[in-house]
Amino acid sequence: MTISKIYARIVYDSRGDPTIEVDVTTEKGKFSAIVPSGAHHNSNECLDLRDGDLSKWNGLGVTQAVHNVNDIIAPAIIKANLDVTDQESVDEFLIDLDGTPNKEKLGANAILAVSLAVAKAGAGKKGSPLYKHIADLAKLHEYPFVIPTPFFNVLNGGIHSGGELTFQEFMIVPYGAPSFFEAVRYATEIFHILRNITTEKYGATAANLGDEGGIAPSLDTANEALDLIVSAIKGAGYEDKVGIALDAAASDFYKDGKYDFNFKSKNSNPNDYLTSDQLAEFYLGLIQKYPIISLEDPFADQDWEAWVKYFPTFEGKVQIVADAITATTPEIIEKAIEKKIANVLLLKLNQIGTLTEAIDAAKIAYDAGWGVQVSHRSGETEDTTIADLAVGLRTAQVKSGAPARSERFAKYNQIIRIEDNLEQYARYAGKDFHDSNKI
Protein backbone atom coordinates (compact mmCIF):
# COMPACT_ATOMS: atom_id res chain seq x y z
CA MET A 1 0.00 0.00 0.00
CA THR A 2 1.42 3.35 -1.04
CA ILE A 3 0.70 6.93 -0.06
CA SER A 4 -1.62 8.95 -2.26
CA LYS A 5 -1.41 12.25 -0.37
CA ILE A 6 0.53 13.98 2.39
CA TYR A 7 -0.73 17.28 3.71
CA ALA A 8 0.51 19.51 6.55
CA ARG A 9 -1.30 22.27 8.41
CA ILE A 10 -0.73 24.56 11.38
CA VAL A 11 -2.53 23.66 14.62
CA TYR A 12 -1.86 24.71 18.21
CA ASP A 13 -0.22 23.12 21.25
CA SER A 14 -1.18 23.41 24.93
CA ARG A 15 0.65 26.72 25.31
CA GLY A 16 -1.26 28.27 22.43
CA ASP A 17 1.82 28.14 20.21
CA PRO A 18 1.65 26.88 16.63
CA THR A 19 2.78 23.38 15.77
CA ILE A 20 2.48 21.09 12.78
CA GLU A 21 -0.06 18.38 11.98
CA VAL A 22 0.35 16.02 9.03
CA ASP A 23 -2.25 13.84 7.30
CA VAL A 24 -1.10 10.78 5.35
CA THR A 25 -3.74 9.33 3.02
CA THR A 26 -3.74 5.73 1.75
CA GLU A 27 -6.38 3.33 0.46
CA LYS A 28 -7.26 2.64 4.11
CA GLY A 29 -8.05 6.27 4.89
CA LYS A 30 -6.43 9.33 6.45
CA PHE A 31 -3.92 9.05 9.32
CA SER A 32 -2.79 12.10 11.26
CA ALA A 33 -0.05 13.04 13.71
CA ILE A 34 0.74 16.23 15.63
CA VAL A 35 4.16 17.00 17.11
CA PRO A 36 4.64 18.63 20.53
CA SER A 37 7.34 21.08 21.55
CA GLY A 38 9.48 21.44 24.63
CA ALA A 39 10.57 24.47 26.61
CA HIS A 40 14.18 23.27 26.32
CA HIS A 41 16.08 23.21 23.06
CA ASN A 42 19.69 22.25 23.67
CA SER A 43 22.35 21.80 21.05
CA ASN A 44 22.11 18.01 21.17
CA GLU A 45 18.50 17.97 19.98
CA CYS A 46 17.34 17.99 16.39
CA LEU A 47 16.07 21.36 15.20
CA ASP A 48 12.47 22.31 15.90
CA LEU A 49 12.11 24.58 12.87
CA ARG A 50 10.51 27.95 13.64
CA ASP A 51 10.02 30.91 11.32
CA GLY A 52 11.59 33.56 13.54
CA ASP A 53 9.16 36.18 12.19
CA LEU A 54 8.43 38.31 15.28
CA SER A 55 5.39 39.88 13.62
CA LYS A 56 3.54 36.55 13.92
CA TRP A 57 3.31 34.10 16.83
CA ASN A 58 6.23 35.83 18.58
CA GLY A 59 8.61 34.24 16.12
CA LEU A 60 7.37 30.70 16.80
CA GLY A 61 5.50 30.18 13.53
CA VAL A 62 5.90 26.89 11.66
CA THR A 63 4.89 28.01 8.18
CA GLN A 64 8.28 27.00 6.78
CA ALA A 65 7.98 23.53 8.32
CA VAL A 66 4.50 23.19 6.80
CA HIS A 67 5.84 24.36 3.44
CA ASN A 68 8.65 21.80 3.65
CA VAL A 69 6.14 18.99 4.10
CA ASN A 70 3.71 20.08 1.42
CA ASP A 71 6.20 21.20 -1.23
CA ILE A 72 9.29 19.05 -0.62
CA ILE A 73 8.59 15.95 1.48
CA ALA A 74 5.15 15.05 0.10
CA PRO A 75 6.00 14.94 -3.61
CA ALA A 76 9.30 13.16 -2.94
CA ILE A 77 7.74 10.39 -0.86
CA ILE A 78 4.81 9.88 -3.20
CA LYS A 79 7.20 9.66 -6.16
CA ALA A 80 9.36 7.13 -4.27
CA ASN A 81 6.30 4.87 -3.89
CA LEU A 82 7.26 3.79 -0.37
CA ASP A 83 5.33 1.14 1.57
CA VAL A 84 3.81 2.56 4.76
CA THR A 85 4.60 -0.62 6.70
CA ASP A 86 8.31 -0.24 5.94
CA GLN A 87 8.93 2.43 8.59
CA GLU A 88 12.70 2.12 8.48
CA SER A 89 12.83 2.85 4.73
CA VAL A 90 10.45 5.79 5.09
CA ASP A 91 12.49 7.30 7.91
CA GLU A 92 15.79 6.73 6.12
CA PHE A 93 14.29 8.47 3.09
CA LEU A 94 13.28 11.45 5.25
CA ILE A 95 16.71 11.65 6.86
CA ASP A 96 18.46 11.51 3.48
CA LEU A 97 16.08 14.09 2.01
CA ASP A 98 17.04 16.49 4.78
CA GLY A 99 20.73 15.65 4.62
CA THR A 100 21.84 17.51 7.75
CA PRO A 101 23.04 16.08 11.10
CA ASN A 102 20.26 17.70 13.15
CA LYS A 103 17.45 17.93 10.57
CA GLU A 104 17.85 21.68 10.26
CA LYS A 105 17.04 21.83 6.54
CA LEU A 106 13.48 20.48 6.69
CA GLY A 107 12.95 20.68 10.46
CA ALA A 108 12.65 17.81 12.92
CA ASN A 109 9.06 18.86 13.57
CA ALA A 110 8.19 18.48 9.89
CA ILE A 111 10.01 15.15 9.59
CA LEU A 112 8.59 13.70 12.81
CA ALA A 113 5.02 14.59 11.92
CA VAL A 114 5.38 12.68 8.65
CA SER A 115 7.17 9.76 10.32
CA LEU A 116 4.45 9.31 12.94
CA ALA A 117 1.57 9.72 10.48
CA VAL A 118 3.18 7.05 8.29
CA ALA A 119 3.48 4.74 11.31
CA LYS A 120 -0.25 5.13 11.94
CA ALA A 121 -0.92 4.42 8.27
CA GLY A 122 1.26 1.32 8.54
CA ALA A 123 -0.76 0.10 11.51
CA GLY A 124 -3.93 0.86 9.55
CA LYS A 125 -2.75 -1.20 6.59
CA LYS A 126 -2.16 -4.17 8.88
CA GLY A 127 -5.42 -3.67 10.73
CA SER A 128 -3.31 -3.53 13.87
CA PRO A 129 -3.33 -1.26 16.93
CA LEU A 130 -0.48 1.23 16.82
CA TYR A 131 1.23 -0.25 19.89
CA LYS A 132 1.26 -3.70 18.22
CA HIS A 133 2.70 -2.21 15.02
CA ILE A 134 5.43 -0.45 17.02
CA ALA A 135 6.24 -3.72 18.80
CA ASP A 136 6.57 -5.37 15.38
CA LEU A 137 8.86 -2.60 14.12
CA ALA A 138 11.06 -2.86 17.21
CA LYS A 139 11.12 -6.68 17.05
CA LEU A 140 10.55 -6.85 20.79
CA HIS A 141 8.94 -9.68 22.73
CA GLU A 142 5.26 -8.88 22.94
CA TYR A 143 3.23 -11.09 25.26
CA PRO A 144 2.42 -10.14 27.82
CA PHE A 145 2.41 -6.51 26.76
CA VAL A 146 3.67 -4.21 29.50
CA ILE A 147 1.40 -1.41 30.67
CA PRO A 148 3.72 1.31 31.99
CA THR A 149 3.81 2.75 35.48
CA PRO A 150 2.79 6.42 35.17
CA PHE A 151 4.79 9.33 36.58
CA PHE A 152 2.37 12.21 37.27
CA ASN A 153 3.80 15.73 37.53
CA VAL A 154 1.51 17.05 40.26
CA LEU A 155 3.53 20.13 41.23
CA ASN A 156 5.28 22.30 38.64
CA GLY A 157 8.38 24.40 39.21
CA GLY A 158 11.40 25.57 37.26
CA ILE A 159 10.67 27.24 33.94
CA HIS A 160 7.27 25.50 33.82
CA SER A 161 5.84 27.78 36.49
CA GLY A 162 5.89 31.41 37.55
CA GLY A 163 7.05 30.90 41.14
CA GLU A 164 10.56 30.75 42.55
CA LEU A 165 10.72 26.98 42.93
CA THR A 166 13.95 25.67 41.37
CA PHE A 167 13.19 22.06 40.43
CA GLN A 168 10.98 21.57 37.41
CA GLU A 169 8.84 18.52 38.19
CA PHE A 170 7.56 16.93 41.39
CA MET A 171 5.90 13.66 40.43
CA ILE A 172 3.95 10.91 42.13
CA VAL A 173 4.40 7.28 41.03
CA PRO A 174 1.61 4.80 41.92
CA TYR A 175 3.81 1.71 41.66
CA GLY A 176 1.72 -0.17 44.23
CA ALA A 177 -1.53 -0.01 42.28
CA PRO A 178 -2.84 -3.30 40.85
CA SER A 179 -3.43 -1.85 37.37
CA PHE A 180 -2.89 1.26 35.29
CA PHE A 181 -6.55 2.17 35.70
CA GLU A 182 -6.20 2.04 39.48
CA ALA A 183 -2.90 3.95 39.30
CA VAL A 184 -4.71 6.81 37.59
CA ARG A 185 -7.43 6.69 40.25
CA TYR A 186 -4.81 6.91 43.01
CA ALA A 187 -3.22 9.88 41.26
CA THR A 188 -6.46 11.81 40.79
CA GLU A 189 -7.39 11.35 44.44
CA ILE A 190 -3.97 12.49 45.61
CA PHE A 191 -4.01 15.44 43.21
CA HIS A 192 -7.36 16.73 44.47
CA ILE A 193 -6.18 16.48 48.06
CA LEU A 194 -2.94 18.23 47.13
CA ARG A 195 -4.85 21.14 45.59
CA ASN A 196 -7.04 21.43 48.66
CA ILE A 197 -4.25 21.44 51.24
CA THR A 198 -2.18 23.83 49.12
CA THR A 199 -4.99 26.37 48.82
CA GLU A 200 -5.73 26.08 52.52
CA LYS A 201 -2.13 26.90 53.35
CA TYR A 202 -1.18 29.37 50.61
CA GLY A 203 -4.46 30.75 49.26
CA ALA A 204 -6.65 30.13 46.22
CA THR A 205 -4.08 31.22 43.63
CA ALA A 206 -1.68 28.51 44.83
CA ALA A 207 -3.76 25.96 42.91
CA ASN A 208 -3.12 27.64 39.55
CA LEU A 209 -1.75 25.16 37.03
CA GLY A 210 1.66 25.16 35.38
CA ASP A 211 2.63 24.12 31.86
CA GLU A 212 2.25 20.41 32.53
CA GLY A 213 -1.00 20.58 34.48
CA GLY A 214 0.40 20.37 38.00
CA ILE A 215 -0.28 23.01 40.61
CA ALA A 216 2.23 25.85 40.61
CA PRO A 217 2.21 27.49 44.06
CA SER A 218 4.73 30.17 44.88
CA LEU A 219 7.08 28.10 47.02
CA ASP A 220 10.69 28.80 47.91
CA THR A 221 12.11 25.33 48.55
CA ALA A 222 11.87 21.74 47.38
CA ASN A 223 11.17 20.69 50.96
CA GLU A 224 7.97 22.76 51.03
CA ALA A 225 6.78 21.09 47.83
CA LEU A 226 7.69 17.61 49.02
CA ASP A 227 5.98 18.14 52.39
CA LEU A 228 2.77 19.05 50.58
CA ILE A 229 2.96 15.99 48.34
CA VAL A 230 3.71 13.63 51.24
CA SER A 231 0.72 15.05 53.11
CA ALA A 232 -1.51 14.48 50.08
CA ILE A 233 -0.31 10.90 49.66
CA LYS A 234 -0.97 10.21 53.35
CA GLY A 235 -4.32 11.93 53.15
CA ALA A 236 -5.35 9.58 50.35
CA GLY A 237 -4.09 6.57 52.29
CA TYR A 238 -1.45 5.42 49.80
CA GLU A 239 1.80 5.85 51.76
CA ASP A 240 3.10 2.37 50.87
CA LYS A 241 1.86 2.38 47.29
CA VAL A 242 3.00 5.73 45.87
CA GLY A 243 6.53 7.07 45.53
CA ILE A 244 7.89 10.46 44.50
CA ALA A 245 10.02 11.32 41.46
CA LEU A 246 11.91 14.56 40.82
CA ASP A 247 13.01 16.17 37.59
CA ALA A 248 15.49 18.80 38.69
CA ALA A 249 16.19 20.02 35.11
CA ALA A 250 19.53 21.17 36.50
CA SER A 251 20.74 22.63 33.20
CA ASP A 252 18.30 25.49 33.74
CA PHE A 253 20.02 26.66 36.93
CA TYR A 254 23.61 25.87 35.98
CA LYS A 255 25.73 29.04 35.92
CA ASP A 256 29.49 29.47 35.72
CA GLY A 257 30.13 25.86 36.70
CA LYS A 258 27.82 25.99 39.72
CA TYR A 259 24.11 25.70 40.50
CA ASP A 260 21.89 28.67 41.29
CA PHE A 261 18.74 27.76 43.22
CA ASN A 262 17.54 31.36 42.80
CA PHE A 263 17.97 31.42 39.02
CA LYS A 264 14.49 32.88 38.50
CA SER A 265 15.06 35.75 40.91
CA LYS A 266 16.46 39.17 40.04
CA ASN A 267 18.27 39.05 43.37
CA SER A 268 20.28 35.94 42.57
CA ASN A 269 23.66 36.06 44.36
CA PRO A 270 26.70 34.18 42.95
CA ASN A 271 27.94 33.70 46.50
CA ASP A 272 24.97 31.40 47.11
CA TYR A 273 25.60 29.13 44.11
CA LEU A 274 26.17 25.46 44.95
CA THR A 275 29.01 23.28 43.71
CA SER A 276 28.08 19.91 42.22
CA ASP A 277 29.27 18.31 45.47
CA GLN A 278 26.94 20.50 47.52
CA LEU A 279 24.06 19.82 45.14
CA ALA A 280 24.63 16.07 45.39
CA GLU A 281 24.56 16.30 49.18
CA PHE A 282 21.29 18.21 48.94
CA TYR A 283 19.75 15.45 46.83
CA LEU A 284 20.96 12.79 49.26
CA GLY A 285 19.31 14.66 52.11
CA LEU A 286 16.00 14.73 50.22
CA ILE A 287 16.25 11.03 49.33
CA GLN A 288 16.84 10.17 52.98
CA LYS A 289 13.88 12.24 54.20
CA TYR A 290 11.24 11.61 51.53
CA PRO A 291 10.00 8.51 49.59
CA ILE A 292 11.88 9.51 46.43
CA ILE A 293 12.41 6.68 43.94
CA SER A 294 13.55 8.51 40.78
CA LEU A 295 15.76 11.51 40.02
CA GLU A 296 15.92 13.02 36.55
CA ASP A 297 18.59 15.40 35.28
CA PRO A 298 20.21 15.98 38.69
CA PHE A 299 23.12 17.77 37.02
CA ALA A 300 23.51 19.97 33.95
CA ASP A 301 24.01 18.49 30.51
CA GLN A 302 27.45 20.18 30.41
CA ASP A 303 28.49 18.81 33.80
CA TRP A 304 29.52 15.28 32.78
CA GLU A 305 32.04 15.11 35.60
CA ALA A 306 29.31 15.39 38.25
CA TRP A 307 27.14 12.75 36.54
CA VAL A 308 30.06 10.31 36.46
CA LYS A 309 31.13 11.04 40.03
CA TYR A 310 27.74 10.72 41.69
CA PHE A 311 25.91 7.98 39.81
CA PRO A 312 27.56 5.27 41.99
CA THR A 313 26.38 7.20 45.07
CA PHE A 314 22.77 7.38 43.91
CA GLU A 315 22.58 3.90 42.37
CA GLY A 316 20.61 1.55 44.56
CA LYS A 317 18.84 4.45 46.27
CA VAL A 318 16.94 5.90 43.29
CA GLN A 319 16.93 5.45 39.55
CA ILE A 320 18.83 8.18 37.69
CA VAL A 321 17.13 9.38 34.50
CA ALA A 322 19.07 11.06 31.70
CA ASP A 323 17.15 13.57 29.56
CA ALA A 324 18.86 16.76 28.41
CA ILE A 325 22.32 15.20 28.55
CA THR A 326 21.39 12.36 26.17
CA ALA A 327 18.63 14.04 24.10
CA THR A 328 17.42 10.68 22.72
CA THR A 329 20.53 10.66 20.51
CA PRO A 330 22.14 7.23 19.95
CA GLU A 331 25.74 8.46 19.87
CA ILE A 332 25.35 10.39 23.13
CA ILE A 333 23.44 7.53 24.76
CA GLU A 334 26.36 5.21 23.97
CA LYS A 335 28.75 7.70 25.56
CA ALA A 336 26.53 7.96 28.63
CA ILE A 337 26.44 4.17 28.94
CA GLU A 338 30.22 3.94 28.62
CA LYS A 339 30.76 6.60 31.29
CA LYS A 340 28.07 5.09 33.56
CA ILE A 341 26.22 8.31 34.33
CA ALA A 342 22.64 6.99 34.71
CA ASN A 343 20.47 3.91 34.38
CA VAL A 344 17.31 5.20 32.66
CA LEU A 345 16.88 6.91 29.29
CA LEU A 346 14.17 9.52 28.90
CA LEU A 347 12.75 8.99 25.42
CA LYS A 348 11.36 12.04 23.62
CA LEU A 349 10.37 11.62 20.00
CA ASN A 350 10.93 15.20 18.94
CA GLN A 351 14.49 15.26 20.29
CA ILE A 352 15.54 12.81 17.58
CA GLY A 353 12.95 13.33 14.82
CA THR A 354 11.84 9.90 13.52
CA LEU A 355 10.16 6.86 15.01
CA THR A 356 12.91 4.52 13.78
CA GLU A 357 15.64 6.53 15.51
CA ALA A 358 13.62 6.61 18.72
CA ILE A 359 13.23 2.82 18.62
CA ASP A 360 16.98 2.46 18.04
CA ALA A 361 17.71 4.73 21.02
CA ALA A 362 15.48 2.62 23.28
CA LYS A 363 17.11 -0.61 22.15
CA ILE A 364 20.60 0.78 22.84
CA ALA A 365 19.46 1.58 26.38
CA TYR A 366 17.92 -1.86 26.84
CA ASP A 367 21.06 -3.60 25.64
CA ALA A 368 23.01 -1.80 28.37
CA GLY A 369 20.55 -2.84 31.06
CA TRP A 370 19.03 0.62 31.34
CA GLY A 371 15.36 1.33 31.82
CA VAL A 372 13.45 3.58 29.40
CA GLN A 373 10.82 6.19 30.24
CA VAL A 374 8.69 7.61 27.43
CA SER A 375 7.97 11.31 27.93
CA HIS A 376 5.61 13.99 26.73
CA ARG A 377 6.74 17.60 26.21
CA SER A 378 5.63 20.70 28.07
CA GLY A 379 3.98 22.07 24.92
CA GLU A 380 1.65 19.11 24.27
CA THR A 381 -1.26 18.26 21.98
CA GLU A 382 -4.16 15.84 21.84
CA ASP A 383 -2.02 13.36 19.88
CA THR A 384 -1.66 10.10 21.85
CA THR A 385 1.23 8.43 19.99
CA ILE A 386 3.49 8.26 23.04
CA ALA A 387 0.93 6.11 24.87
CA ASP A 388 1.17 3.46 22.15
CA LEU A 389 4.94 3.95 22.01
CA ALA A 390 5.33 3.17 25.72
CA VAL A 391 3.29 -0.03 25.40
CA GLY A 392 4.81 -1.07 22.08
CA LEU A 393 8.38 -0.62 23.34
CA ARG A 394 7.66 -2.24 26.74
CA THR A 395 9.23 0.76 28.45
CA ALA A 396 7.37 0.14 31.75
CA GLN A 397 7.52 3.88 32.53
CA VAL A 398 5.69 6.85 31.04
CA LYS A 399 5.20 10.47 32.01
CA SER A 400 2.66 12.79 30.50
CA GLY A 401 2.16 15.46 33.13
CA ALA A 402 -0.46 15.87 35.81
CA PRO A 403 -3.79 14.06 36.15
CA ALA A 404 -5.34 17.27 34.82
CA ARG A 405 -5.87 18.99 31.44
CA SER A 406 -7.01 17.04 28.43
CA GLU A 407 -3.73 17.16 26.48
CA ARG A 408 -2.16 15.22 29.39
CA PHE A 409 -5.09 12.93 30.09
CA ALA A 410 -5.37 12.06 26.39
CA LYS A 411 -2.29 9.86 26.81
CA TYR A 412 -3.39 8.33 30.11
CA ASN A 413 -6.86 7.63 28.70
CA GLN A 414 -5.31 5.91 25.68
CA ILE A 415 -3.29 3.61 27.94
CA ILE A 416 -6.47 2.85 29.92
CA ARG A 417 -8.09 1.79 26.62
CA ILE A 418 -5.10 -0.35 25.68
CA GLU A 419 -5.07 -2.05 29.08
CA ASP A 420 -8.79 -2.67 28.86
CA ASN A 421 -8.55 -4.13 25.35
CA LEU A 422 -5.59 -6.38 26.12
CA GLU A 423 -7.09 -7.80 29.33
CA GLN A 424 -5.10 -10.96 30.26
CA TYR A 425 -2.51 -10.29 27.55
CA ALA A 426 -1.02 -7.38 29.47
CA ARG A 427 0.66 -6.82 32.83
CA TYR A 428 0.90 -3.57 34.74
CA ALA A 429 4.57 -2.75 35.41
CA GLY A 430 3.94 -1.48 38.93
CA LYS A 431 7.01 -1.80 41.15
CA ASP A 432 9.00 -3.35 38.26
CA PHE A 433 8.92 -0.08 36.30
CA HIS A 434 12.71 -0.05 36.07
CA ASP A 435 12.99 -3.43 34.32
CA SER A 436 10.25 -4.70 32.02
CA ASN A 437 12.07 -8.04 31.68
CA LYS A 438 10.84 -8.94 35.18
CA ILE A 439 7.23 -8.78 34.01
Side-chain angles (χ1 to χ4, degrees), residues 113-351:
V114 175
S115 177
L116 297 183
V118 167
K120 293 180 181 182
K125 175 185 175 180
K126 293 160 59 177
S128 170
L130 181 57
Y131 63 85
K132 175 68 166 62
H133 179 51
I134 291 172
D136 293 342
L137 295 174
K139 298 180 176 63
L140 292 173
H141 168 70
E142 294 173 13
Y143 295 105
F145 279 96
V146 175
I147 304 300
T149 302
F151 285 53
F152 297 94
N153 181 8
V154 293
L155 197 151
N156 295 182
I159 64 172
H160 290 172
S161 73
E164 298 299 323
L165 197 58
T166 306
F167 295 164
Q168 183 169 280
E169 297 182 43
F170 293 79
M171 295 169 273
I172 55 172
V173 187
Y175 61 81
S179 65
F180 186 88
F181 179 83
E182 286 295 281
V184 176
R185 180 175 69 82
Y186 288 13
T188 58
E189 291 171 2
I190 293 167
F191 188 59
H192 290 308
I193 292 172
L194 178 63
R195 294 187 73 173
N196 289 338
I197 62 177
T198 302
T199 54
E200 287 174 7
K201 186 170 184 178
Y202 297 100
T205 59
N208 290 343
L209 301 185
D211 275 353
E212 297 188 350
I215 62 170
S218 183
L219 305 178
D220 294 324
T221 69
N223 294 77
E224 289 178 271
L226 290 165
D227 286 338
L228 288 170
I229 294 170
V230 167
S231 294
I233 292 171
K234 288 181 177 179
Y238 298 126
E239 297 99 310
D240 299 325
K241 297 180 179 180
V242 176
I244 294 174
L246 298 180
D247 175 8
S251 296
D252 288 339
F253 55 95
Y254 187 63
K255 294 181 181 179
D256 303 322
K258 292 187 177 182
Y259 293 89
D260 177 18
F261 271 24
N262 296 313
F263 79 104
K264 293 196 288 183
S265 171
K266 295 179 180 179
N267 300 318
S268 173
N269 185 348
N271 293 326
D272 296 328
Y273 294 179
L274 300 182
T275 65
S276 57
D277 290 345
Q278 291 171 320
L279 180 58
E281 287 300 315
F282 181 77
Y283 291 134
L284 290 170
L286 294 181
I287 293 166
Q288 184 176 8
K289 183 177 180 181
Y290 300 100
I292 296 170
I293 60 175
S294 181
L295 181 57
E296 180 184 333
D297 279 1
F299 303 105
D301 54 5
Q302 307 101 306
D303 196 3
W304 280 82
E305 183 179 346
W307 283 86
V308 172
K309 181 177 180 180
Y310 281 103
F311 175 64
T313 303
F314 294 130
E315 190 178 19
K317 296 181 176 69
V318 295
Q319 68 172 17
I320 297 298
V321 184
D323 173 17
I325 195 168
T326 45
T328 317
T329 303
E331 296 80 8
I332 306 175
I333 297 167
E334 289 171 347
K335 177 183 175 183
I337 290 167
E338 179 185 354
K339 289 186 172 292
K340 299 180 179 179
I341 68 165
N343 55 7
V344 177
L345 171 69
L346 198 74
L347 190 71
K348 291 177 174 175
L349 286 166
N350 75 328
Q351 285 181 334

Side-chain angles (χ1 to χ4, degrees), residues 342-382:
N343 55 7
V344 177
L345 171 69
L346 198 74
L347 190 71
K348 291 177 174 175
L349 286 166
N350 75 328
Q351 285 181 334
I352 190 63
T354 68
L355 177 58
T356 298
E357 290 170 294
I359 291 171
D360 290 344
K363 294 177 80 170
I364 291 169
Y366 286 147
D367 288 345
W370 283 30
V372 176
Q373 183 178 117
V374 168
S375 175
H376 65 153
R377 300 309 305 260
S378 52
E380 259 301 336
T381 76
E382 63 269 29

Side-chain angles (χ1 to χ4, degrees), residues 1-14:
M1 182 182 296
T2 56
I3 298 167
S4 60
K5 184 179 179 180
I6 298 176
Y7 177 74
R9 66 176 64 83
I10 295 173
V11 293
Y12 289 84
D13 69 17
S14 59

